[in-house]
Amino acid sequence: MSVYFISGIDTDAGKSIVTGVIARTLLKKGVKVITQKFIQTGCRGISEDILKHREIMGIEPQEVDKDGTTCPYVMTYPASPHLAAEIDKITIDTAIIHRSTEKLTALYDKVLLEGAGGLFVPVNRHYLTIDYVQDNGYPLILVASSKLGSINHTLMSLELCRMRGIDVKYVVYNDFPNDSEIIKNDSITIIRQYLDDHFPNCELLELPVIEGNKWPELHIG
């Protein structure tokens, strides 16, 4: 697939870091890759998550960033997209987002489309992020974290994908904050067992805690 949708098990699971690290890894291997942000809230101008991706990738903002292609909707209020759009008096048209993705797929080999929060984040009052992923048939990269409670959030997200027929290609376990090695190892074991039972073709990757700008590699096919 040329497009992967990247979602987290909740807010601050580490989606932007994972997206940037995967893009950096692919770029170093000679793949023509770009990242896209589904919807950005809480900033102005170029999406702050897109800028974080570019920082990790080690490249300057691209023309497709400056003209809004990589993130057509940037809202000022730091809230769920549906509420931020209402506050800014914007109507989100997912067809515009999809056309931006199609434009990027014509220019690049891989597009990494980062969502906003988790899968059940509302785009508007009647449409959820998971609806968009399902409607477009995007394979999913799900980002889990080592925070307490991540087993529950991860398995629920995976179960929802199973019910919706969404193809989960990778689960990335983010070691940060890594408060307990015992909890981390047990969580990974439980997640791996669930994947073996229900998503046998899904690969479980682990993102180590990042020190400074020492970016690790996360390779996807």
Side-chain angles (χ1 to χ4, degrees):
M1 284 293 295
S2 59
V3 181
Y4 287 93
F5 196 96
I6 300 178
S7 185
I9 59 170
D10 57 13
T11 302
D12 294 330
K15 294 188 310 302
S16 296
I17 300 298
V18 167
T19 303
V21 167
I22 292 174
R24 178 186 176 91
T25 303
L26 291 172
L27 196 62
K28 287 175 65 177
K29 293 182 181 296
V31 178
K32 193 175 182 184
V33 59
I34 196 70
T35 63
Q36 182 182 356
K37 180 69 178 178
F38 183 47
I39 298 166
Q40 179 76 65
T41 66
C43 76
R44 297 176 185 272
I46 298 176
S47 156
E48 61 185 16
D49 288 346
I50 290 291
L51 293 177
K52 187 64 180 178
H53 300 162
R54 301 295 170 263
E55 175 192 335
I56 295 171
M57 294 167 73
I59 62 175
E60 294 296 318
Q62 305 294 292
E63 278 306 312
V64 287
D65 303 326
K66 297 172 184 176
D67 67 14
T69 303
T70 53
C71 189
Y73 290 104
V74 179
M75 275 87 72
T76 58
Y77 199 79
S80 177
H82 76 287
L83 181 58
E86 289 174 2
I87 290 171
D88 279 3
K89 295 179 171 51
I90 292 172
T91 300
I92 297 173
D93 183 353
T94 55
I96 291 175
I97 300 172
H98 185 65
R99 283 198 294 272
S100 291
T101 305
E102 288 185 319
K103 177 181 176 181
L104 294 172
T105 58
L107 298 172
Y108 296 88
D109 300 326
K110 294 279 188 189
V111 178
L112 305 177
L113 175 51
E114 181 194 340
L119 288 166
F120 259 45
V121 166
V123 177
N124 58 45
R125 297 286 172 174
H126 307 285
Y127 195 76
L128 305 172
T129 300
I130 195 170
D131 296 325
Y132 187 80
V133 177
Q134 183 180 16
D135 288 347
N136 289 283
Y138 291 139
L140 183 73
I141 298 174
L142 181 67
V143 181
S145 74
S146 66
K147 292 182 292 185
L148 193 62
S150 69
I151 292 176
N152 177 69
H153 289 9
T154 303
L155 297 191
M156 281 200 304
S157 296
L158 289 169
E159 188 70 7
L160 289 167
C161 290
R162 192 160 74 97
M163 293 170 60
R164 296 287 195 107
I166 291 170
D167 184 14
V168 184
K169 288 291 190 184
Y170 300 91
V171 171
V172 180
Y173 188 91
N174 179 10
D175 285 354
F176 182 83
N178 198 21
D179 294 328
S180 169
E181 195 74 13
I182 294 173
I183 290 176
K184 182 190 83 168
N185 291 336
D186 183 68
S187 298
I188 289 174
T189 299
I190 290 175
I191 293 167
R192 182 175 286 113
Q193 183 60 60
Y194 183 94
L195 293 175
D196 287 344
D197 290 343
H198 302 294
F199 292 91
N201 296 320
C202 176
E203 188 174 350
L204 179 59
L205 307 175
E206 186 176 350
L207 180 72
V209 175
I210 296 165
E211 298 179 5
N213 290 326
K214 296 178 180 177
W215 304 110
E217 289 195 354
L218 277 178
H219 182 68
I220 64 169

